[in-house]
Amino acid sequence: MHIRTAAAATAGSLALLTFLAPTAQADTHRGDIAFTSVTFSKTTLNVGISEVQKLTASATLKDNSGIKTLMGLKLVSPDGHIQFAKSSTCTRPTSTTMKCTWSYSLDPDSADDYFDLRNSSAGTWHLDAEAGAYDGDFYTLDSSVTMKIKRYAKLTTTQATPEPVDKGKTLTVTGALTRADWNTNTYVGFAAQKVALQFKKSGASTYTTVKTVTTDSTGRLKTTITANASGTWRWHFAGTGTTSSATAAGDSVALK
């Protein structure tokens, strides 16, 4: 196995390295060179267990002598995974500016496990890039530009019984919350999470949270509620810093 160092990476290469990256430092620069804008195509990317997710980053750089080089172009995860750009394109609108866009592919289940995402990779990733100007000025973009890469969550279809139900009687509502496990490429129950039970009265256009229920050790949800009106019940999970939000399909229940 050949391990590439971060310094050896340039635009157009693709690698996901699993060595420990250096601790993120503040941006450093010399002279008037600057990244005047840096944006992502998505500020949050939710990744499941099999489908490759794509992301682009775009930047505009400026220096009074012109931009000579742009290197690195890497995304760094909380656990030190490094994702280098798969491809990049750059233009020079003026003699002092450069505009570039580069792309990434995040694969939770690649042919080689060495390149897979890991559960510990979920959370806030930061963008690293190094730019140099013709007059010797430089700018190292380190920890100032971030985005979220999260484990995809799912809620099973809400089940409310009995259907129909007598007004004032008890409804039992069930469901289950799972999320992508990048280590095993399966969906697993997400335990000890607060999930909102929401209700939309027949004829209404919006849902209202009725109560909050905590998932059990296997991610399952179960609660009872008094039925006072016909309408639709559903579960909604707000998400966490490492896991996406999720909303279940609703179950319509009529009163007798």
Side-chain angles (χ1 to χ4, degrees):
M1 179 182 352
H2 299 287
I3 298 178
R4 300 173 59 204
T5 64
T10 59
S13 62
L14 171 65
L16 182 61
L17 305 186
T18 53
F19 61 81
L20 288 178
T23 302
Q25 305 295 323
D27 294 354
T28 57
H29 62 91
R30 181 180 66 193
D32 68 331
I33 189 172
F35 284 83
T36 58
S37 70
V38 184
T39 59
F40 290 106
S41 58
K42 297 179 180 179
T43 55
T44 299
L45 193 65
N46 301 319
V47 184
I49 62 173
S50 60
E51 186 176 352
V52 176
Q53 298 294 322
K54 297 186 179 298
L55 175 73
T56 61
S58 299
T60 301
L61 302 87
K62 186 175 183 179
D63 183 87
N64 62 2
S65 69
I67 305 299
K68 182 178 181 180
T69 60
L70 178 61
M71 301 172 62
L73 311 181
K74 55 186 181 288
L75 282 172
V76 184
S77 73
D79 66 346
H81 262 63
I82 295 179
Q83 173 78 61
F84 287 104
K86 183 177 182 180
S87 63
S88 68
T89 57
C90 293
T91 61
R92 297 179 184 271
T94 71
S95 62
T96 60
T97 60
M98 176 185 284
K99 291 185 177 181
C100 296
T101 298
W102 50 98
S103 63
Y104 303 89
S105 295
L106 287 100
D107 192 347
D109 190 19
S110 64
D112 185 344
D113 287 346
Y114 181 76
F115 296 100
D116 288 356
L117 291 172
R118 304 176 301 200
N119 290 340
S120 55
S121 301
T124 301
W125 292 51
H126 68 269
L127 180 67
D128 280 7
E130 302 167 12
Y134 285 102
D135 60 3
D137 292 349
F138 69 88
Y139 200 110
T140 300
L141 189 70
D142 199 326
S143 58
S144 64
V145 179
T146 63
M147 55 90 62
K148 295 278 190 180
I149 297 178
K150 296 186 177 185
R151 296 162 65 179
Y152 185 70
K154 299 192 297 183
L155 277 163
T156 59
T157 299
T158 308
Q159 294 293 329
T161 57
E163 302 179 51
V165 63
D166 290 324
K167 184 174 182 180
K169 296 297 184 181
T170 299
L171 270 176
T172 298
V173 187
T174 59
L177 175 65
T178 61
R179 64 172 173 169
D181 187 324
W182 294 337
N183 295 346
T184 61
N185 297 114
T186 59
Y187 282 96
V188 297
F190 198 5
Q193 299 302 305
K194 295 185 181 300
V195 181
L197 177 62
Q198 299 181 330
F199 179 68
K200 182 177 67 173
K201 189 175 181 179
S202 295
S205 58
T206 59
Y207 282 88
T208 300
T209 296
V210 175
K211 66 191 303 187
T212 300
V213 180
T214 301
T215 57
D216 68 12
S217 60
T218 63
R220 295 189 178 279
L221 292 155
K222 185 175 182 180
T223 191
T224 57
I225 201 81
T226 301
N228 291 316
S230 298
T232 304
W233 298 90
R234 74 175 186 185
W235 296 105
H236 174 73
F237 174 59
T240 70
T242 60
T243 305
S244 75
S245 61
T247 301
D251 190 12
S252 296
V253 178
L255 295 184
K256 289 181 180 179

